[in-house]
Amino acid sequence: QVQLVESGGGLVQAGGSLRLSCAASGRIYSTDHMAWFRQPPGQEREFVASKSWSGSNPDYADSVKGRFTISGDYAKNTLYLQMNSLKPEDTAVYYCAARRTRLAAYAYWGQGTQVTVSS
């Protein structure tokens, strides 16, 4: 099992920045691919960004390209999401997820952290 715990959410004004963290524990060696998803109010959960610990290029949703950066510190078992130039439409619960490989289903999810961007 892998446990994921997100932190760093909060309330920020439009144009501001936040950095989310996802601390992983447990059988971390069994997961190579990590991602951030988000669920805006009243909407379906959507992909935000992903990366592999093995070093492949990260992927981003078009809506966050150029504003968000996904990174990780494998030594600290922590995944990050740096969010800049935040917009009200970025308001959502942000989730960290992990899977064995890029081709597998996401098997592990965190509990989520709320990000609210005011206009």
Side-chain angles (χ1 to χ4, degrees):
Q1 291 291 333
V2 175
Q3 293 78 42
L4 303 172
V5 179
E6 302 96 335
S7 61
L11 174 64
V12 63
Q13 288 189 333
S17 299
L18 279 176
R19 189 177 81 156
L20 304 183
S21 299
C22 172
S25 61
R27 300 179 64 182
I28 301 164
Y29 57 86
S30 68
T31 58
D32 179 64
H33 201 249
M34 307 286 291
W36 288 97
F37 287 78
R38 67 186 181 185
Q39 186 166 18
Q43 298 183 39
E44 298 291 320
R45 187 157 53 189
E46 63 186 24
F47 169 79
V48 175
S50 66
K51 72 178 302 297
S52 293
W53 291 117
S54 57
S56 63
N57 289 335
D59 292 319
Y60 295 95
D62 288 343
S63 59
V64 307
K65 280 181 182 176
R67 301 188 298 121
F68 291 11
T69 302
I70 187 171
S71 64
D73 187 334
Y74 191 74
K76 295 182 178 180
N77 299 325
T78 303
L79 183 74
Y80 302 101
L81 184 68
Q82 178 66 44
M83 305 186 295
N84 299 328
S85 302
L86 282 162
K87 305 175 182 179
E89 51 263 44
D90 294 318
T91 294
V93 178
Y94 284 72
Y95 298 91
C96 176
R99 59 185 176 181
R100 181 177 298 275
T101 70
R102 193 182 185 92
L103 300 180
Y106 286 99
Y108 306 103
W109 294 85
Q111 82 291 347
T113 185
Q114 176 71 47
V115 172
T116 302
V117 184
S118 63
S119 57

Short mmCIF file of all heavy atoms in Angstrom, two decimals, residues 53-101:
data_model
loop_
_atom_site.label_atom_id
_atom_site.label_comp_id
_atom_site.label_asym_id
_atom_site.label_seq_id
_atom_site.Cartn_x
_atom_site.Cartn_y
_atom_site.Cartn_z
N TRP A 53 8.98 9.24 -11.67
CA TRP A 53 10.21 9.36 -10.88
C TRP A 53 11.42 9.00 -11.74
O TRP A 53 12.52 9.49 -11.49
CB TRP A 53 10.16 8.44 -9.66
CG TRP A 53 9.17 8.84 -8.63
CD1 TRP A 53 8.08 8.13 -8.23
CD2 TRP A 53 9.15 10.05 -7.85
NE1 TRP A 53 7.40 8.82 -7.25
CE2 TRP A 53 8.03 9.99 -7.00
CE3 TRP A 53 9.98 11.17 -7.80
CZ2 TRP A 53 7.72 11.00 -6.10
CZ3 TRP A 53 9.68 12.18 -6.89
CH2 TRP A 53 8.56 12.09 -6.06
N SER A 54 11.19 8.16 -12.75
CA SER A 54 12.30 7.72 -13.58
C SER A 54 12.76 8.78 -14.55
O SER A 54 13.75 8.59 -15.25
CB SER A 54 11.91 6.46 -14.35
OG SER A 54 10.74 6.69 -15.12
N GLY A 55 12.06 9.91 -14.62
CA GLY A 55 12.61 11.06 -15.33
C GLY A 55 12.02 11.41 -16.66
O GLY A 55 12.57 12.25 -17.37
N SER A 56 10.89 10.81 -17.05
CA SER A 56 10.30 11.20 -18.33
C SER A 56 9.77 12.63 -18.24
O SER A 56 9.57 13.17 -17.16
CB SER A 56 9.16 10.24 -18.68
OG SER A 56 8.14 10.34 -17.71
N ASN A 57 9.57 13.23 -19.40
CA ASN A 57 9.07 14.61 -19.42
C ASN A 57 7.68 14.68 -18.77
O ASN A 57 6.84 13.81 -18.96
CB ASN A 57 8.98 15.12 -20.85
CG ASN A 57 10.34 15.35 -21.45
OD1 ASN A 57 11.31 15.59 -20.73
ND2 ASN A 57 10.43 15.27 -22.76
N PRO A 58 7.43 15.72 -18.00
CA PRO A 58 6.12 15.85 -17.38
C PRO A 58 5.03 16.18 -18.40
O PRO A 58 5.33 16.70 -19.48
CB PRO A 58 6.31 16.99 -16.38
CG PRO A 58 7.43 17.80 -16.93
CD PRO A 58 8.33 16.82 -17.62
N ASP A 59 3.81 15.87 -18.03
CA ASP A 59 2.65 16.22 -18.85
C ASP A 59 1.79 17.23 -18.10
O ASP A 59 1.70 17.16 -16.87
CB ASP A 59 1.80 14.97 -19.15
CG ASP A 59 2.52 14.01 -20.07
OD1 ASP A 59 3.17 14.46 -21.02
OD2 ASP A 59 2.43 12.78 -19.82
N TYR A 60 1.15 18.12 -18.84
CA TYR A 60 0.29 19.12 -18.24
C TYR A 60 -1.02 19.23 -19.02
O TYR A 60 -1.05 19.08 -20.24
CB TYR A 60 0.96 20.50 -18.25
CG TYR A 60 2.19 20.59 -17.39
CD1 TYR A 60 3.45 20.41 -17.93
CD2 TYR A 60 2.09 20.87 -16.02
CE1 TYR A 60 4.59 20.48 -17.14
CE2 TYR A 60 3.21 20.95 -15.23
CZ TYR A 60 4.46 20.76 -15.78
OH TYR A 60 5.58 20.84 -15.00
N ALA A 61 -2.08 19.54 -18.31
CA ALA A 61 -3.33 19.92 -18.96
C ALA A 61 -3.11 21.26 -19.65
O ALA A 61 -2.36 22.11 -19.16
CB ALA A 61 -4.45 20.02 -17.94
N ASP A 62 -3.77 21.45 -20.77
CA ASP A 62 -3.61 22.70 -21.52
C ASP A 62 -3.96 23.91 -20.66
O ASP A 62 -3.35 24.98 -20.79
CB ASP A 62 -4.50 22.69 -22.76
CG ASP A 62 -3.98 21.74 -23.84
OD1 ASP A 62 -2.79 21.36 -23.76
OD2 ASP A 62 -4.76 21.40 -24.74
N SER A 63 -4.91 23.74 -19.76
CA SER A 63 -5.39 24.87 -18.95
C SER A 63 -4.36 25.37 -17.95
O SER A 63 -4.50 26.48 -17.43
CB SER A 63 -6.67 24.47 -18.22
OG SER A 63 -6.42 23.35 -17.39
N VAL A 64 -3.32 24.58 -17.67
CA VAL A 64 -2.33 24.99 -16.67
C VAL A 64 -0.93 25.15 -17.25
O VAL A 64 -0.02 25.58 -16.54
CB VAL A 64 -2.29 24.02 -15.47
CG1 VAL A 64 -3.69 23.82 -14.89
CG2 VAL A 64 -1.68 22.69 -15.87
N LYS A 65 -0.75 24.81 -18.51
CA LYS A 65 0.58 24.92 -19.12
C LYS A 65 1.11 26.34 -19.02
O LYS A 65 0.40 27.30 -19.29
CB LYS A 65 0.52 24.49 -20.59
CG LYS A 65 0.54 23.00 -20.80
CD LYS A 65 0.52 22.64 -22.29
CE LYS A 65 0.50 21.14 -22.49
NZ LYS A 65 0.38 20.78 -23.93
N GLY A 66 2.37 26.45 -18.63
CA GLY A 66 3.00 27.75 -18.49
C GLY A 66 2.75 28.42 -17.15
O GLY A 66 3.39 29.43 -16.83
N ARG A 67 1.83 27.87 -16.37
CA ARG A 67 1.52 28.45 -15.05
C ARG A 67 1.86 27.50 -13.90
O ARG A 67 2.26 27.95 -12.83
CB ARG A 67 0.04 28.83 -14.97
CG ARG A 67 -0.41 29.83 -16.01
CD ARG A 67 -1.84 30.30 -15.74
NE ARG A 67 -2.80 29.22 -15.80
CZ ARG A 67 -3.60 28.87 -14.79
NH1 ARG A 67 -3.56 29.53 -13.65
NH2 ARG A 67 -4.47 27.87 -14.93
N PHE A 68 1.67 26.22 -14.11
CA PHE A 68 1.91 25.21 -13.07
C PHE A 68 3.17 24.41 -13.42
O PHE A 68 3.44 24.15 -14.59
CB PHE A 68 0.74 24.24 -12.97
CG PHE A 68 -0.53 24.83 -12.41
CD1 PHE A 68 -0.68 26.20 -12.23
CD2 PHE A 68 -1.57 23.99 -12.06
CE1 PHE A 68 -1.85 26.72 -11.72
CE2 PHE A 68 -2.76 24.49 -11.54
CZ PHE A 68 -2.91 25.86 -11.38
N THR A 69 3.88 23.99 -12.39
CA THR A 69 5.06 23.14 -12.56
C THR A 69 5.00 21.98 -11.57
O THR A 69 4.87 22.21 -10.37
CB THR A 69 6.35 23.94 -12.35
OG1 THR A 69 6.40 25.04 -13.26
CG2 THR A 69 7.57 23.04 -12.59
N ILE A 70 5.10 20.76 -12.11
CA ILE A 70 5.14 19.58 -11.25
C ILE A 70 6.59 19.17 -11.06
O ILE A 70 7.39 19.21 -11.99
CB ILE A 70 4.31 18.42 -11.87
CG1 ILE A 70 4.22 17.25 -10.90
CG2 ILE A 70 4.88 17.98 -13.22
CD1 ILE A 70 3.24 16.15 -11.36
N SER A 71 6.93 18.82 -9.83
CA SER A 71 8.29 18.39 -9.53
C SER A 71 8.24 17.42 -8.37
O SER A 71 7.21 17.25 -7.74
CB SER A 71 9.18 19.59 -9.20
OG SER A 71 8.73 20.23 -8.02
N GLY A 72 9.38 16.78 -8.13
CA GLY A 72 9.41 15.82 -7.03
C GLY A 72 10.78 15.70 -6.42
O GLY A 72 11.79 15.94 -7.09
N ASP A 73 10.80 15.36 -5.16
CA ASP A 73 12.03 15.08 -4.45
C ASP A 73 11.94 13.62 -3.99
O ASP A 73 11.30 13.31 -2.98
CB ASP A 73 12.18 16.03 -3.26
CG ASP A 73 13.52 15.89 -2.57
OD1 ASP A 73 14.13 14.80 -2.64
OD2 ASP A 73 13.97 16.86 -1.94
N TYR A 74 12.59 12.73 -4.75
CA TYR A 74 12.46 11.31 -4.45
C TYR A 74 13.07 10.97 -3.10
O TYR A 74 12.57 10.09 -2.40
CB TYR A 74 13.12 10.49 -5.56
CG TYR A 74 12.80 9.02 -5.47
CD1 TYR A 74 11.55 8.54 -5.84
CD2 TYR A 74 13.74 8.10 -5.01
CE1 TYR A 74 11.23 7.21 -5.76
CE2 TYR A 74 13.43 6.76 -4.93
CZ TYR A 74 12.18 6.32 -5.30
OH TYR A 74 11.88 4.99 -5.21
N ALA A 75 14.13 11.67 -2.73
CA ALA A 75 14.76 11.41 -1.44
C ALA A 75 13.81 11.71 -0.28
O ALA A 75 13.88 11.08 0.78
CB ALA A 75 16.04 12.23 -1.30
N LYS A 76 12.93 12.68 -0.49
CA LYS A 76 11.96 13.04 0.54
C LYS A 76 10.60 12.41 0.28
O LYS A 76 9.65 12.64 1.04
CB LYS A 76 11.80 14.57 0.59
CG LYS A 76 13.05 15.31 1.04
CD LYS A 76 12.78 16.81 1.12
CE LYS A 76 14.00 17.56 1.60
NZ LYS A 76 13.77 19.02 1.67
N ASN A 77 10.50 11.63 -0.79
CA ASN A 77 9.23 10.98 -1.14
C ASN A 77 8.10 12.00 -1.23
O ASN A 77 6.99 11.77 -0.74
CB ASN A 77 8.86 9.91 -0.12
CG ASN A 77 9.89 8.81 -0.05
OD1 ASN A 77 10.48 8.45 -1.07
ND2 ASN A 77 10.12 8.27 1.12
N THR A 78 8.38 13.13 -1.84
CA THR A 78 7.41 14.20 -1.90
C THR A 78 7.26 14.74 -3.32
O THR A 78 8.25 14.97 -4.01
CB THR A 78 7.81 15.36 -0.96
OG1 THR A 78 7.95 14.86 0.38
CG2 THR A 78 6.77 16.46 -0.97
N LEU A 79 6.03 14.91 -3.72
CA LEU A 79 5.67 15.48 -5.02
C LEU A 79 5.17 16.89 -4.77
O LEU A 79 4.50 17.15 -3.76
CB LEU A 79 4.58 14.64 -5.68
CG LEU A 79 4.13 15.03 -7.07
CD1 LEU A 79 5.19 14.63 -8.10
CD2 LEU A 79 2.80 14.34 -7.41
N TYR A 80 5.48 17.80 -5.70
CA TYR A 80 5.06 19.19 -5.56
C TYR A 80 4.27 19.65 -6.78
O TYR A 80 4.41 19.11 -7.87
CB TYR A 80 6.28 20.09 -5.39
CG TYR A 80 7.16 19.76 -4.22
CD1 TYR A 80 8.35 19.05 -4.41
CD2 TYR A 80 6.81 20.12 -2.93
CE1 TYR A 80 9.17 18.73 -3.34
CE2 TYR A 80 7.62 19.80 -1.85
CZ TYR A 80 8.80 19.10 -2.07
OH TYR A 80 9.61 18.78 -1.00
N LEU A 81 3.47 20.68 -6.56
CA LEU A 81 2.82 21.37 -7.66
C LEU A 81 2.93 22.86 -7.37
O LEU A 81 2.27 23.37 -6.46
CB LEU A 81 1.36 20.96 -7.81
CG LEU A 81 0.65 21.58 -9.02
CD1 LEU A 81 1.23 21.00 -10.32
CD2 LEU A 81 -0.86 21.32 -8.97
N GLN A 82 3.80 23.53 -8.11
CA GLN A 82 3.93 24.98 -7.99
C GLN A 82 2.90 25.62 -8.91
O GLN A 82 2.90 25.36 -10.11
CB GLN A 82 5.33 25.42 -8.38
CG GLN A 82 5.55 26.93 -8.33
CD GLN A 82 5.46 27.48 -6.92
OE1 GLN A 82 6.00 26.91 -5.98
NE2 GLN A 82 4.76 28.62 -6.77
N MET A 83 2.03 26.43 -8.34
CA MET A 83 0.96 27.05 -9.10
C MET A 83 1.14 28.56 -9.08
O MET A 83 1.08 29.19 -8.00
CB MET A 83 -0.40 26.67 -8.50
CG MET A 83 -0.60 25.17 -8.38
SD MET A 83 -2.26 24.72 -7.82
CE MET A 83 -2.24 25.41 -6.15
N ASN A 84 1.38 29.13 -10.24
CA ASN A 84 1.56 30.59 -10.38
C ASN A 84 0.43 31.17 -11.23
O ASN A 84 -0.27 30.45 -11.93
CB ASN A 84 2.91 30.89 -11.03
CG ASN A 84 4.08 30.39 -10.22
OD1 ASN A 84 4.04 30.34 -8.99
ND2 ASN A 84 5.15 30.01 -10.90
N SER A 85 0.30 32.48 -11.16
CA SER A 85 -0.72 33.19 -11.95
C SER A 85 -2.08 32.52 -11.80
O SER A 85 -2.78 32.26 -12.79
CB SER A 85 -0.31 33.23 -13.43
OG SER A 85 0.94 33.86 -13.60
N LEU A 86 -2.46 32.27 -10.58
CA LEU A 86 -3.71 31.54 -10.32
C LEU A 86 -4.91 32.35 -10.76
O LEU A 86 -4.94 33.59 -10.68
CB LEU A 86 -3.80 31.19 -8.84
CG LEU A 86 -2.94 30.00 -8.42
CD1 LEU A 86 -2.72 29.97 -6.93
CD2 LEU A 86 -3.57 28.70 -8.90
N LYS A 87 -5.92 31.62 -11.23
CA LYS A 87 -7.17 32.20 -11.72
C LYS A 87 -8.33 31.65 -10.89
O LYS A 87 -8.23 30.54 -10.33
CB LYS A 87 -7.38 31.82 -13.18
CG LYS A 87 -6.24 32.20 -14.10
CD LYS A 87 -6.49 31.68 -15.51
CE LYS A 87 -5.34 32.01 -16.45
NZ LYS A 87 -5.57 31.47 -17.82
N PRO A 88 -9.44 32.36 -10.83
CA PRO A 88 -10.60 31.84 -10.09
C PRO A 88 -11.02 30.45 -10.58
O PRO A 88 -11.48 29.64 -9.77
CB PRO A 88 -11.69 32.89 -10.36
CG PRO A 88 -10.92 34.16 -10.55
CD PRO A 88 -9.66 33.75 -11.28
N GLU A 89 -10.85 30.18 -11.85
CA GLU A 89 -11.24 28.86 -12.38
C GLU A 89 -10.30 27.74 -11.95
O GLU A 89 -10.56 26.57 -12.22
CB GLU A 89 -11.33 28.90 -13.91
CG GLU A 89 -10.13 29.47 -14.62
CD GLU A 89 -10.31 30.93 -14.97
OE1 GLU A 89 -10.81 31.70 -14.11
OE2 GLU A 89 -9.93 31.32 -16.10
N ASP A 90 -9.22 28.08 -11.26
CA ASP A 90 -8.36 27.05 -10.68
C ASP A 90 -8.88 26.57 -9.33
O ASP A 90 -8.33 25.63 -8.74
CB ASP A 90 -6.93 27.59 -10.49
CG ASP A 90 -6.23 27.89 -11.79
OD1 ASP A 90 -6.35 27.08 -12.73
OD2 ASP A 90 -5.55 28.93 -11.88
N THR A 91 -9.93 27.20 -8.84
CA THR A 91 -10.54 26.79 -7.57
C THR A 91 -11.02 25.35 -7.66
O THR A 91 -11.78 24.99 -8.57
CB THR A 91 -11.71 27.71 -7.20
OG1 THR A 91 -11.20 29.02 -6.95
CG2 THR A 91 -12.43 27.20 -5.97
N ALA A 92 -10.55 24.51 -6.74
CA ALA A 92 -10.88 23.09 -6.78
C ALA A 92 -10.27 22.40 -5.57
O ALA A 92 -9.43 22.98 -4.87
CB ALA A 92 -10.34 22.44 -8.06
N VAL A 93 -10.67 21.15 -5.37
CA VAL A 93 -9.95 20.27 -4.47
C VAL A 93 -8.88 19.57 -5.31
O VAL A 93 -9.19 18.99 -6.34
CB VAL A 93 -10.88 19.24 -3.80
CG1 VAL A 93 -10.06 18.30 -2.91
CG2 VAL A 93 -11.96 19.95 -3.00
N TYR A 94 -7.65 19.66 -4.86
CA TYR A 94 -6.52 19.08 -5.59
C TYR A 94 -6.11 17.76 -4.94
O TYR A 94 -5.94 17.70 -3.72
CB TYR A 94 -5.36 20.06 -5.62
CG TYR A 94 -5.56 21.17 -6.61
CD1 TYR A 94 -6.49 22.18 -6.38
CD2 TYR A 94 -4.85 21.21 -7.81
CE1 TYR A 94 -6.71 23.19 -7.30
CE2 TYR A 94 -5.05 22.22 -8.73
CZ TYR A 94 -5.98 23.20 -8.48
OH TYR A 94 -6.19 24.21 -9.40
N TYR A 95 -5.96 16.74 -5.78
CA TYR A 95 -5.62 15.41 -5.33
C TYR A 95 -4.29 14.95 -5.91
O TYR A 95 -4.00 15.21 -7.08
CB TYR A 95 -6.68 14.40 -5.75
CG TYR A 95 -8.05 14.65 -5.18
CD1 TYR A 95 -8.98 15.43 -5.85
CD2 TYR A 95 -8.42 14.07 -3.96
CE1 TYR A 95 -10.24 15.65 -5.33
CE2 TYR A 95 -9.68 14.28 -3.43
CZ TYR A 95 -10.58 15.07 -4.12
OH TYR A 95 -11.83 15.29 -3.59
N CYS A 96 -3.55 14.25 -5.11
CA CYS A 96 -2.33 13.58 -5.54
C CYS A 96 -2.69 12.12 -5.84
O CYS A 96 -3.51 11.53 -5.13
CB CYS A 96 -1.30 13.67 -4.43
SG CYS A 96 0.24 12.81 -4.70
N ALA A 97 -2.08 11.55 -6.87
CA ALA A 97 -2.34 10.16 -7.23
C ALA A 97 -1.05 9.49 -7.66
O ALA A 97 -0.12 10.14 -8.12
CB ALA A 97 -3.37 10.10 -8.36
N ALA A 98 -1.04 8.15 -7.53
CA ALA A 98 0.14 7.39 -7.90
C ALA A 98 -0.26 6.09 -8.57
O ALA A 98 -1.32 5.52 -8.30
CB ALA A 98 0.98 7.07 -6.65
N ARG A 99 0.60 5.63 -9.48
CA ARG A 99 0.37 4.36 -10.15
C ARG A 99 1.69 3.69 -10.43
O ARG A 99 2.74 4.34 -10.43
CB ARG A 99 -0.43 4.56 -11.44
CG ARG A 99 0.21 5.48 -12.46
CD ARG A 99 -0.73 5.69 -13.64
NE ARG A 99 -0.20 6.64 -14.62
CZ ARG A 99 -0.84 7.00 -15.72
NH1 ARG A 99 -2.04 6.47 -15.99
NH2 ARG A 99 -0.31 7.87 -16.56
N ARG A 100 1.62 2.39 -10.72
CA ARG A 100 2.84 1.61 -10.88
C ARG A 100 3.66 2.11 -12.07
O ARG A 100 4.86 2.31 -11.97
CB ARG A 100 2.49 0.14 -11.07
CG ARG A 100 3.69 -0.78 -11.22
CD ARG A 100 3.24 -2.22 -11.33
NE ARG A 100 2.55 -2.65 -10.12
CZ ARG A 100 3.16 -3.11 -9.04
NH1 ARG A 100 4.48 -3.19 -9.02
NH2 ARG A 100 2.47 -3.49 -8.00
N THR A 101 3.01 2.27 -13.19
CA THR A 101 3.68 2.76 -14.39
C THR A 101 2.78 3.75 -15.10
O THR A 101 1.61 3.91 -14.75
CB THR A 101 4.01 1.63 -15.38
OG1 THR A 101 2.79 1.15 -15.96
CG2 THR A 101 4.72 0.48 -14.70
#
